[in-house]
Amino acid sequence: IKEVSGDGTYYYEQIISLTASVNEGYEFVSWSIGDANHNTNYKVLDSIIIKATSKAITYTISYNLNDGILDNNNPTSYTIESDDITLNNPHKLGYNFTGWSLNNDTPQINRVINKGSYGNLNFVANFTPRNDIDYKVEHYIEESDGKYTLYETDTKTDVVGKTVKAVPYNYGGFSVNNNHPNAILSGTVSSYTTLRLKVYYSRNSYKVTYKYSGVTPEGATPLPEEKTYKYYDAVTLAPK
């Protein structure tokens, strides 16, 4: 109780009015004489002691986890008389926890509700995306039979949630086939599954033609027709 009024000297059967104010964090409960409660107006019949009673208010504590996970729950209520409360910190896959904020203040990792605090509280968990999340870039080249096989794989890192693009290599005799049905040239970096980008390289095609140098010899064998070969295919030469 912070302050009371109504005490003093009164005549027999005089009606007195009692008022009381409480400290922050407390609420008024009742006036009492011994074990009996009384209202704020009292008829004086004798010399008495009237006691004002208050109790600590129970306040709520709420949390916005922003999709984070708490392994150990935090309390959801407290009073001004509660001991210091240190909040447990959440975690979030692919993110670093940067602290609890209250009323948009600076986030604090080791957040404490100090004894003597009062009022309802709403804490917000703050996270920043990690920039060391792995993703893969797989490079497939076309074999002579037309099938594609994995040639090499790059492991790269970037920020979770970021859209990244595959950077093709320059393989001699091959060109990037962006229209391959299995090509995946861009995607979003994820901490739940490893992003795999896939680049396909088709063998370049070349036309082979035959001609005699200089004057065509008499009775020369007819030259083969023009033919298209893929890179590194064996070429059949014209007979002499």
Side-chain angles (χ1 to χ4, degrees):
I1 297 295
K2 182 178 182 180
E3 186 178 30
V4 296
S5 64
D7 55 335
T9 301
Y10 296 91
Y11 293 107
Y12 179 72
E13 292 190 342
Q14 184 175 351
I15 302 297
I16 60 175
S17 179
L18 305 172
T19 61
S21 60
V22 295
N23 293 307
E24 292 284 4
Y26 292 87
E27 60 183 347
F28 180 78
V29 177
S30 65
W31 295 99
S32 61
I33 301 174
D35 295 331
N37 292 336
H38 288 268
N39 57 30
T40 56
N41 295 318
Y42 179 75
K43 180 186 291 187
V44 177
L45 300 176
D46 201 351
S47 296
I48 55 170
I49 296 176
I50 303 177
K51 182 180 178 181
T53 304
S54 64
K55 68 176 182 179
I57 299 172
T58 298
Y59 296 104
T60 61
I61 312 173
S62 57
Y63 305 91
N64 179 353
L65 294 177
N66 276 326
D67 297 325
I69 298 172
L70 274 173
D71 292 330
N72 297 295
N73 291 330
N74 285 315
T76 56
S77 64
Y78 79 108
T79 72
I80 196 172
E81 297 173 351
S82 298
D83 292 331
D84 288 354
I85 300 172
T86 300
L87 299 184
N88 298 312
N89 294 334
H91 56 86
K92 184 178 179 181
L93 191 62
Y95 293 78
N96 293 318
F97 177 69
T98 57
W100 293 104
S101 58
L102 178 66
N103 299 325
N104 296 317
D105 66 359
T106 301
Q108 300 177 29
I109 291 179
N110 298 311
R111 193 90 201 201
V112 178
I113 304 173
N114 294 311
K115 184 175 183 177
S117 300
Y118 55 87
N120 296 324
L121 305 174
N122 177 251
F123 290 101
V124 177
N126 294 270
F127 298 91
T128 56
R130 286 171 47 190
N131 60 2
D132 59 349
I133 304 301
D134 289 346
Y135 69 96
K136 306 287 186 182
V137 181
E138 300 174 348
H139 302 269
Y140 294 82
I141 63 172
E142 183 184 11
E143 300 292 351
S144 58
D145 60 2
K147 296 179 181 179
Y148 289 80
T149 58
L150 179 62
Y151 183 68
E152 63 179 315
T153 301
D154 300 325
T155 299
K156 299 181 177 295
T157 60
D158 216 312
V159 178
V160 65
K162 181 179 178 180
T163 299
V164 292
K165 296 181 179 180
V167 179
Y169 286 152
N170 185 15
Y171 294 133
F174 293 85
S175 297
V176 176
N177 182 358
N178 291 331
N179 295 321
H180 192 281
N182 295 331
I184 303 174
L185 302 179
S186 66
T188 302
V189 179
S190 172
S191 54
Y192 294 97
T193 59
T194 301
L195 172 66
R196 293 184 180 275
L197 303 181
K198 299 182 179 183
V199 185
Y200 286 80
Y201 303 82
S202 297
R203 290 174 177 265
N204 292 336
S205 296
Y206 303 94
K207 290 182 178 180
V208 177
T209 58
Y210 302 88
K211 68 178 181 177
Y212 288 110
S213 177
V215 179
T216 304
E218 185 178 348
T221 303
L223 294 175
E225 295 181 355
E226 181 180 88
K227 188 174 182 181
T228 300
Y229 293 89
K230 288 190 175 181
Y231 173 70
Y232 225 75
D233 281 348
V235 176
T236 302
L237 298 177
K240 292 182 181 180

